Amino acid sequence: MTHEPTIYELSQPGRIGTNLPSLDVPKSDPLPADMLRTELMLPEVSELEVIRHFVRLSQLNYAIDKGFYPLGSCTMKYNPKINEDVARYEGFAGLHPLTDEAGAQGALALMYQLQQWLAEVSGLNAVSLHPAAGAHGEFAGILMIRKYHIDRGEPQRTKILVPDSAHGTNPATVTMAGLSVIELPADDKGDVDIEALKKVCEGPERDNIAGMMITVPSTLGLFERGILKIVELVHNAGGLMYMDGANMNALMGVVKPGALGFDVMHYNLHKTFSTPHGGGGPGSGAVGVNEKLKPFLPAPHVDIVEPGTDEEAPLYGFVTPEKSIGRLKAFHGNFGMHTRAYSYIRAYGGEGLHQVSRHAVLNANYIRVGLSDTYTVPYDRACGHEFVIEGHFEGVEKVHALDISKRLMDYGYHPPTNYFPLIVPEALLIEPTETETKETLDQFIAAMKKIAQEAKENPELLLSAPHKTPVSRLDEVRAAKQLVLCCAPLLKDT
Amino acid sequence: MSYIPHTELDRQQMLAAIGVTTIEDLFDAVPASHRFPKIDIPPALSEYEIAAELKAYAEANDHAGNFAVFRGAGAYHHFVPSAVNHILLRGEFFTAYTPYQPELSQGTLQAVFEYQSMMCGLTGMDAANASHYDGATSLAEAVTVALDVSRFKRSKIVLSHNIHPQYRDVVRTYHQGRQIEIAGDDQPRSMADLAALIDDNTAMVAIQYPNFFGQIEDIKALAEKAHAVGALLVTVVNPVALGMLKSPAELGADIAVGEGQPLGVGLQFGGPYLGFFSIKQEYVRKIAGRIIGETIDSDGRRAYVMTLRPREQDIKRERASSNICTNQGLMALAACVHMSLLGKNGLRQVAELCYHKAHYAAAEIDKLAGYSVDRTLPFFNEFVVKCPVPVEKVNTALLEQGIVGGYDLGTDYPHLVDHMLIAVTETNSKAEIDALVETLGALS
């Protein structure tokens, strides 16, 4: 693969990649010269050069549309193409966010219906589509828990329990909300250590517990066997239960978090409901709550403001819940993601969503069993939609999980998640999702086995991998030490 | 419609390999009392039916395809060249994830690096991150950076009343758990009055440029006062205006944030949008979110990678200053392609078209009996009009003529009842502007 110049290196003074309407009104007096800029460091390129540049860049990417992407915890399932079409309908793409409610009934009705369906999937009472990403949803959830306790006259409840296997966003969210973390260990079976939890919930911190954040299934891909006990212990201490819904792809039609006793959760629409994540975003982090937390939902929130009749549809509008934590972003959430999630739910229906989770779990267990004689599977029991293996081999100490990942690229796969969860040494977290065929899974298992063999016979092959990618292994330390964060200085003199 | 590929034979073979009889056997760890609830959602539709249903929802809206749009207030209807969408629709971009494995993500990484470069070019700042959720959350993250720069020893944040009201709301939501004081935005204040609020406890002073009312304020004295006490100056900027206006760096800003939506991202009922965040070199290590840096591979070739990772929540956990772990990758790509197509001359041209068309509209409206345009300060493409009748009535009349009128300022500013904020862009033809003026005239 040839090296792709930066767009600034392609720039030639005087070129332009588009044309604009000519000025059809009389010119006005210009602004005073001291308000105007003299330099504008943007590249100058023709349309064809722009297209070729970004098409060539696209070809340097690995993506779901190119191959298997078993990136644990990220749920990289197929993004149906119809979803992209509907999100681009002019009536959605060209709708101003401050359109009067009467002129936005289509968008509001869609949001309302999606809220209802997400509530149904989770067994919770109300859903807000306002947060822009999973971590944003977490933040909304923890702020609601905080405000709930303040509202009840218990402002000293500032501690949130977080298992040590949790996503890094969980403890960071707690800090952002002005609360603090009590970390909980996992037991040797990968479940939360109930005895340790009991000690905290019945110990001196009891009255300071605001709640607990837990991922179900856990980041180890395991369903907490003690979940009902955990919920009971935290509730008895006066805390609320937050579910990190990153792994909801394993739960649809399997169990409803609301029924387990969770008070609040977020959904990652870009994971479970297939909205594309575009190389890092956008996401959408809807939050669901039970009756207790409903008054605290972020604003705005779509609701029926005038009931419908037999002849007429109800009137939908934005409302601010009574004790709302407030607004977390401008406007109403990532609406473009709502249209895609809606389309996805419509494509499956209730029974279909339940099949999604069953097949996601089937696929994960199939690979787990397929690899268990070659790799160490630290928690060797039926997993959820993902599972963790240890990426190292006895007798070949210099080969690490990262080397296995890099070698996998040579076989045409995106590697699993590396070094997460933190509590498993050399962790590789594998999540196939339900949209992959048995043949794909078989080929992946074969590649992983081949790599295990290579590690023992020719470890250099792994240590020097990848060999077939556009660039070879990167010097990440140099990037941090000799910071080069933009190419503007390369702009040719104009 | 289903995207699950399994045949009955596949399932049987897989279950046998796992050593269980049915898929249900894999869920033993789930409490039996709660296992396999029914999901009460209507049955699946075909792709054809989904498209028809969503088309009906879409057409129930007053959208830019059928209406002339003169509403801005933080979201603008600009022309987006076709090439932008063609690039966004490439599956290699939109079905990729966060570039955790840089050898397989050089396309995304280089595109974001170029986006960062363009944001630096626009704002005059030294560094930009790979984007935040939107302009409002960028401002809220700027507060965190300012507090961090003061080592959390300062607790006062001065905000101009002329910053988008929703952005100010977001700052309050974000920082409700922290002991900070937010001052200045409770009422209209001159720049001098705002400067008078700055003291030794002030970590940050923020203004919008052009402000929420479209006006360009002289902030020189404010910047000097902020810097004299060691506070950071933050500007919330409209990137299209920067096609012609002095850069935030030239105004003395330490951080420039804003909404990137006008750069090739459609209106989309408010999202997904693109928060940009750019900063001076000395504060680079305080930025939240992703940053892409240049490096080399083991063969010495230039390549790109996510850098400064140890700041981030996945490593620092509860010691991270922000929990943000995504960026608006696809929207940053849209902005990058858009700015590449426009280039320095194209963006300047867009800015000038907006400026002249808005000023033409303002002059014509100002001539109407009963209407007056606020001309106390220079403005870019958005301006305040005092109306002789309630704004709601004006907008109802405009809708009948196929026009989405200005934003009702009385909603957020009680002293501006009967005032509307009108935005004009290059998409508004003279004929549309004349129709707007004519309808307004008929109401006076």
mmCIF file of all heavy atoms in Angstrom, chain A residues 246-275:
data_model
loop_
_atom_site.group_PDB
_atom_site.id
_atom_site.type_symbol
_atom_site.label_atom_id
_atom_site.label_comp_id
_atom_site.label_asym_id
_atom_site.label_seq_id
_atom_site.Cartn_x
_atom_site.Cartn_y
_atom_site.Cartn_z
ATOM 1 N N ALA A 246 -23.961 -1.617 28.256
ATOM 2 C CA ALA A 246 -23.085 -1.849 27.101
ATOM 3 C C ALA A 246 -23.277 -3.248 26.533
ATOM 4 O O ALA A 246 -23.086 -3.472 25.345
ATOM 5 C CB ALA A 246 -21.632 -1.624 27.488
ATOM 6 N N ASN A 247 -23.651 -4.191 27.390
ATOM 7 C CA ASN A 247 -23.764 -5.582 26.949
ATOM 8 C C ASN A 247 -25.206 -6.030 26.763
ATOM 9 O O ASN A 247 -25.507 -7.218 26.824
ATOM 10 C CB ASN A 247 -23.036 -6.499 27.934
ATOM 11 C CG ASN A 247 -21.542 -6.221 27.940
ATOM 12 O OD1 ASN A 247 -21.003 -5.678 26.978
ATOM 13 N ND2 ASN A 247 -20.872 -6.587 29.018
ATOM 14 N N MET A 248 -26.067 -5.098 26.508
ATOM 15 C CA MET A 248 -27.491 -5.392 26.351
ATOM 16 C C MET A 248 -27.769 -6.348 25.193
ATOM 17 O O MET A 248 -28.820 -6.991 25.154
ATOM 18 C CB MET A 248 -28.217 -4.054 26.140
ATOM 19 C CG MET A 248 -29.712 -4.093 26.318
ATOM 20 S SD MET A 248 -30.182 -4.381 28.030
ATOM 21 C CE MET A 248 -31.901 -4.837 27.781
ATOM 22 N N ASN A 249 -26.826 -6.458 24.278
ATOM 23 C CA ASN A 249 -27.045 -7.371 23.148
ATOM 24 C C ASN A 249 -27.238 -8.816 23.619
ATOM 25 O O ASN A 249 -27.773 -9.635 22.878
ATOM 26 C CB ASN A 249 -25.875 -7.290 22.160
ATOM 27 C CG ASN A 249 -26.284 -7.699 20.756
ATOM 28 O OD1 ASN A 249 -27.340 -7.280 20.286
ATOM 29 N ND2 ASN A 249 -25.486 -8.513 20.093
ATOM 30 N N ALA A 250 -26.801 -9.099 24.835
ATOM 31 C CA ALA A 250 -26.967 -10.451 25.367
ATOM 32 C C ALA A 250 -28.285 -10.625 26.113
ATOM 33 O O ALA A 250 -28.626 -11.739 26.518
ATOM 34 C CB ALA A 250 -25.811 -10.774 26.312
ATOM 35 N N LEU A 251 -29.006 -9.551 26.331
ATOM 36 C CA LEU A 251 -30.128 -9.625 27.286
ATOM 37 C C LEU A 251 -31.535 -9.512 26.706
ATOM 38 O O LEU A 251 -32.506 -9.769 27.402
ATOM 39 C CB LEU A 251 -29.979 -8.516 28.336
ATOM 40 C CG LEU A 251 -28.776 -8.590 29.270
ATOM 41 C CD1 LEU A 251 -28.942 -7.575 30.386
ATOM 42 C CD2 LEU A 251 -28.599 -9.983 29.856
ATOM 43 N N MET A 252 -31.640 -9.120 25.434
ATOM 44 C CA MET A 252 -32.992 -8.861 24.915
ATOM 45 C C MET A 252 -33.821 -10.142 24.888
ATOM 46 O O MET A 252 -33.441 -11.124 24.257
ATOM 47 C CB MET A 252 -32.908 -8.242 23.524
ATOM 48 C CG MET A 252 -32.281 -6.853 23.548
ATOM 49 S SD MET A 252 -32.314 -6.049 21.935
ATOM 50 C CE MET A 252 -31.116 -7.028 21.032
ATOM 51 N N GLY A 253 -34.925 -10.118 25.604
ATOM 52 C CA GLY A 253 -35.751 -11.319 25.686
ATOM 53 C C GLY A 253 -35.144 -12.401 26.551
ATOM 54 O O GLY A 253 -35.650 -13.518 26.609
ATOM 55 N N VAL A 254 -34.053 -12.097 27.217
ATOM 56 C CA VAL A 254 -33.398 -13.043 28.126
ATOM 57 C C VAL A 254 -33.757 -12.674 29.562
ATOM 58 O O VAL A 254 -34.150 -13.507 30.364
ATOM 59 C CB VAL A 254 -31.869 -13.034 27.928
ATOM 60 C CG1 VAL A 254 -31.167 -13.805 29.041
ATOM 61 C CG2 VAL A 254 -31.518 -13.616 26.563
ATOM 62 N N VAL A 255 -33.617 -11.373 29.861
ATOM 63 C CA VAL A 255 -34.041 -10.903 31.180
ATOM 64 C C VAL A 255 -34.237 -9.392 31.074
ATOM 65 O O VAL A 255 -33.574 -8.729 30.271
ATOM 66 C CB VAL A 255 -32.982 -11.272 32.258
ATOM 67 C CG1 VAL A 255 -31.697 -10.491 32.093
ATOM 68 C CG2 VAL A 255 -33.518 -11.079 33.669
ATOM 69 N N LYS A 256 -35.161 -8.862 31.867
ATOM 70 C CA LYS A 256 -35.391 -7.419 31.844
ATOM 71 C C LYS A 256 -34.732 -6.798 33.071
ATOM 72 O O LYS A 256 -35.095 -7.133 34.205
ATOM 73 C CB LYS A 256 -36.894 -7.118 31.827
ATOM 74 C CG LYS A 256 -37.567 -7.580 30.538
ATOM 75 C CD LYS A 256 -39.012 -7.103 30.458
ATOM 76 C CE LYS A 256 -39.616 -7.534 29.107
ATOM 77 N NZ LYS A 256 -40.998 -7.061 28.943
ATOM 78 N N PRO A 257 -33.781 -5.898 32.851
ATOM 79 C CA PRO A 257 -33.077 -5.293 33.989
ATOM 80 C C PRO A 257 -34.031 -4.673 35.013
ATOM 81 O O PRO A 257 -33.798 -4.785 36.222
ATOM 82 C CB PRO A 257 -32.216 -4.215 33.314
ATOM 83 C CG PRO A 257 -31.986 -4.725 31.923
ATOM 84 C CD PRO A 257 -33.238 -5.463 31.557
ATOM 85 N N GLY A 258 -35.108 -4.070 34.533
ATOM 86 C CA GLY A 258 -36.071 -3.472 35.469
ATOM 87 C C GLY A 258 -36.653 -4.525 36.395
ATOM 88 O O GLY A 258 -36.849 -4.294 37.588
ATOM 89 N N ALA A 259 -36.908 -5.721 35.847
ATOM 90 C CA ALA A 259 -37.491 -6.790 36.654
ATOM 91 C C ALA A 259 -36.500 -7.322 37.681
ATOM 92 O O ALA A 259 -36.880 -7.830 38.738
ATOM 93 C CB ALA A 259 -37.963 -7.923 35.744
ATOM 94 N N LEU A 260 -35.207 -7.199 37.381
ATOM 95 C CA LEU A 260 -34.188 -7.639 38.347
ATOM 96 C C LEU A 260 -34.046 -6.648 39.493
ATOM 97 O O LEU A 260 -33.390 -6.939 40.486
ATOM 98 C CB LEU A 260 -32.826 -7.778 37.651
ATOM 99 C CG LEU A 260 -32.671 -8.908 36.640
ATOM 100 C CD1 LEU A 260 -31.328 -8.795 35.931
ATOM 101 C CD2 LEU A 260 -32.813 -10.270 37.317
ATOM 102 N N GLY A 261 -34.620 -5.465 39.321
ATOM 103 C CA GLY A 261 -34.558 -4.472 40.390
ATOM 104 C C GLY A 261 -33.682 -3.277 40.077
ATOM 105 O O GLY A 261 -33.472 -2.422 40.938
ATOM 106 N N PHE A 262 -33.160 -3.203 38.856
ATOM 107 C CA PHE A 262 -32.349 -2.026 38.522
ATOM 108 C C PHE A 262 -33.226 -0.785 38.482
ATOM 109 O O PHE A 262 -34.361 -0.823 38.007
ATOM 110 C CB PHE A 262 -31.631 -2.225 37.180
ATOM 111 C CG PHE A 262 -30.417 -3.090 37.321
ATOM 112 C CD1 PHE A 262 -30.475 -4.445 37.064
ATOM 113 C CD2 PHE A 262 -29.230 -2.542 37.779
ATOM 114 C CE1 PHE A 262 -29.354 -5.250 37.238
ATOM 115 C CE2 PHE A 262 -28.107 -3.347 37.950
ATOM 116 C CZ PHE A 262 -28.169 -4.694 37.680
ATOM 117 N N ASP A 263 -32.657 0.309 38.975
ATOM 118 C CA ASP A 263 -33.384 1.568 39.027
ATOM 119 C C ASP A 263 -33.125 2.414 37.778
ATOM 120 O O ASP A 263 -33.948 3.230 37.397
ATOM 121 C CB ASP A 263 -32.959 2.356 40.269
ATOM 122 C CG ASP A 263 -33.249 1.580 41.544
ATOM 123 O OD1 ASP A 263 -34.422 1.534 41.940
ATOM 124 O OD2 ASP A 263 -32.307 0.992 42.121
ATOM 125 N N VAL A 264 -31.960 2.223 37.196
ATOM 126 C CA VAL A 264 -31.590 3.047 36.043
ATOM 127 C C VAL A 264 -30.538 2.304 35.219
ATOM 128 O O VAL A 264 -29.734 1.549 35.761
ATOM 129 C CB VAL A 264 -31.074 4.438 36.508
ATOM 130 C CG1 VAL A 264 -30.058 4.336 37.617
ATOM 131 C CG2 VAL A 264 -30.481 5.268 35.354
ATOM 132 N N MET A 265 -30.572 2.506 33.903
ATOM 133 C CA MET A 265 -29.552 1.918 33.028
ATOM 134 C C MET A 265 -29.390 2.798 31.790
ATOM 135 O O MET A 265 -30.241 3.638 31.512
ATOM 136 C CB MET A 265 -29.940 0.509 32.586
ATOM 137 C CG MET A 265 -31.134 0.472 31.650
ATOM 138 S SD MET A 265 -31.394 -1.157 30.898
ATOM 139 C CE MET A 265 -30.162 -1.144 29.602
ATOM 140 N N HIS A 266 -28.298 2.588 31.087
ATOM 141 C CA HIS A 266 -28.205 3.228 29.766
ATOM 142 C C HIS A 266 -28.096 2.138 28.705
ATOM 143 O O HIS A 266 -27.674 1.024 28.986
ATOM 144 C CB HIS A 266 -27.015 4.190 29.683
ATOM 145 C CG HIS A 266 -25.695 3.532 29.455
ATOM 146 N ND1 HIS A 266 -24.839 3.197 30.479
ATOM 147 C CD2 HIS A 266 -25.075 3.130 28.317
ATOM 148 C CE1 HIS A 266 -23.750 2.626 29.973
ATOM 149 N NE2 HIS A 266 -23.868 2.561 28.668
ATOM 150 N N TYR A 267 -28.509 2.491 27.515
ATOM 151 C CA TYR A 267 -28.378 1.612 26.348
ATOM 152 C C TYR A 267 -27.349 2.262 25.429
ATOM 153 O O TYR A 267 -27.323 3.476 25.295
ATOM 154 C CB TYR A 267 -29.672 1.551 25.532
ATOM 155 C CG TYR A 267 -30.933 1.358 26.308
ATOM 156 C CD1 TYR A 267 -31.469 2.390 27.072
ATOM 157 C CD2 TYR A 267 -31.631 0.156 26.243
ATOM 158 C CE1 TYR A 267 -32.650 2.224 27.761
ATOM 159 C CE2 TYR A 267 -32.818 -0.013 26.931
ATOM 160 C CZ TYR A 267 -33.320 1.027 27.698
ATOM 161 O OH TYR A 267 -34.491 0.856 28.375
ATOM 162 N N ASN A 268 -26.531 1.460 24.774
ATOM 163 C CA ASN A 268 -25.684 2.000 23.714
ATOM 164 C C ASN A 268 -26.390 1.688 22.402
ATOM 165 O O ASN A 268 -26.296 0.565 21.909
ATOM 166 C CB ASN A 268 -24.307 1.347 23.723
ATOM 167 C CG ASN A 268 -23.558 1.614 25.020
ATOM 168 O OD1 ASN A 268 -23.804 0.957 26.024
ATOM 169 N ND2 ASN A 268 -22.663 2.560 25.005
ATOM 170 N N LEU A 269 -27.098 2.666 21.875
ATOM 171 C CA LEU A 269 -27.850 2.380 20.641
ATOM 172 C C LEU A 269 -26.910 1.942 19.533
ATOM 173 O O LEU A 269 -27.270 1.158 18.667
ATOM 174 C CB LEU A 269 -28.651 3.606 20.194
ATOM 175 C CG LEU A 269 -29.757 4.092 21.123
ATOM 176 C CD1 LEU A 269 -30.572 5.180 20.442
ATOM 177 C CD2 LEU A 269 -30.663 2.961 21.579
ATOM 178 N N HIS A 270 -25.676 2.444 19.572
ATOM 179 C CA HIS A 270 -24.712 2.111 18.520
ATOM 180 C C HIS A 270 -24.184 0.683 18.682
ATOM 181 O O HIS A 270 -23.506 0.198 17.785
ATOM 182 C CB HIS A 270 -23.568 3.110 18.507
ATOM 183 C CG HIS A 270 -22.893 3.268 19.833
ATOM 184 N ND1 HIS A 270 -23.433 3.996 20.856
ATOM 185 C CD2 HIS A 270 -21.734 2.775 20.295
ATOM 186 C CE1 HIS A 270 -22.630 3.946 21.894
ATOM 187 N NE2 HIS A 270 -21.592 3.202 21.583
ATOM 188 N N LYS A 271 -24.454 0.037 19.789
ATOM 189 C CA LYS A 271 -24.037 -1.355 19.931
ATOM 190 C C LYS A 271 -25.240 -2.263 19.703
ATOM 191 O O LYS A 271 -25.340 -2.946 18.699
ATOM 192 C CB LYS A 271 -23.454 -1.596 21.321
ATOM 193 C CG LYS A 271 -22.177 -0.801 21.581
ATOM 194 C CD LYS A 271 -21.621 -1.077 22.965
ATOM 195 C CE LYS A 271 -20.361 -0.235 23.186
ATOM 196 N NZ LYS A 271 -19.795 -0.442 24.516
ATOM 197 N N THR A 272 -26.155 -2.236 20.652
ATOM 198 C CA THR A 272 -27.271 -3.174 20.616
ATOM 199 C C THR A 272 -28.200 -2.948 19.419
ATOM 200 O O THR A 272 -28.741 -3.890 18.861
ATOM 201 C CB THR A 272 -28.072 -3.049 21.923
ATOM 202 O OG1 THR A 272 -27.145 -3.093 23.006
ATOM 203 C CG2 THR A 272 -29.075 -4.163 22.063
ATOM 204 N N PHE A 273 -28.386 -1.696 19.039
ATOM 205 C CA PHE A 273 -29.379 -1.403 18.006
ATOM 206 C C PHE A 273 -28.748 -0.986 16.685
ATOM 207 O O PHE A 273 -29.357 -0.298 15.882
ATOM 208 C CB PHE A 273 -30.405 -0.408 18.542
ATOM 209 C CG PHE A 273 -31.110 -0.942 19.760
ATOM 210 C CD1 PHE A 273 -30.687 -0.590 21.046
ATOM 211 C CD2 PHE A 273 -32.137 -1.863 19.636
ATOM 212 C CE1 PHE A 273 -31.294 -1.127 22.174
ATOM 213 C CE2 PHE A 273 -32.753 -2.398 20.759
ATOM 214 C CZ PHE A 273 -32.334 -2.032 22.034
ATOM 215 N N SER A 274 -27.482 -1.353 16.519
ATOM 216 C CA SER A 274 -26.818 -1.367 15.211
ATOM 217 C C SER A 274 -26.607 -0.020 14.547
ATOM 218 O O SER A 274 -26.434 0.049 13.354
ATOM 219 C CB SER A 274 -27.583 -2.286 14.238
ATOM 220 O OG SER A 274 -28.641 -1.609 13.611
ATOM 221 N N THR A 275 -26.612 1.074 15.305
ATOM 222 C CA THR A 275 -26.340 2.340 14.634
ATOM 223 C C THR A 275 -24.817 2.463 14.486
ATOM 224 O O THR A 275 -24.078 2.160 15.407
ATOM 225 C CB THR A 275 -26.940 3.529 15.408
ATOM 226 O OG1 THR A 275 -26.216 3.749 16.599
ATOM 227 C CG2 THR A 275 -28.390 3.283 15.742
#
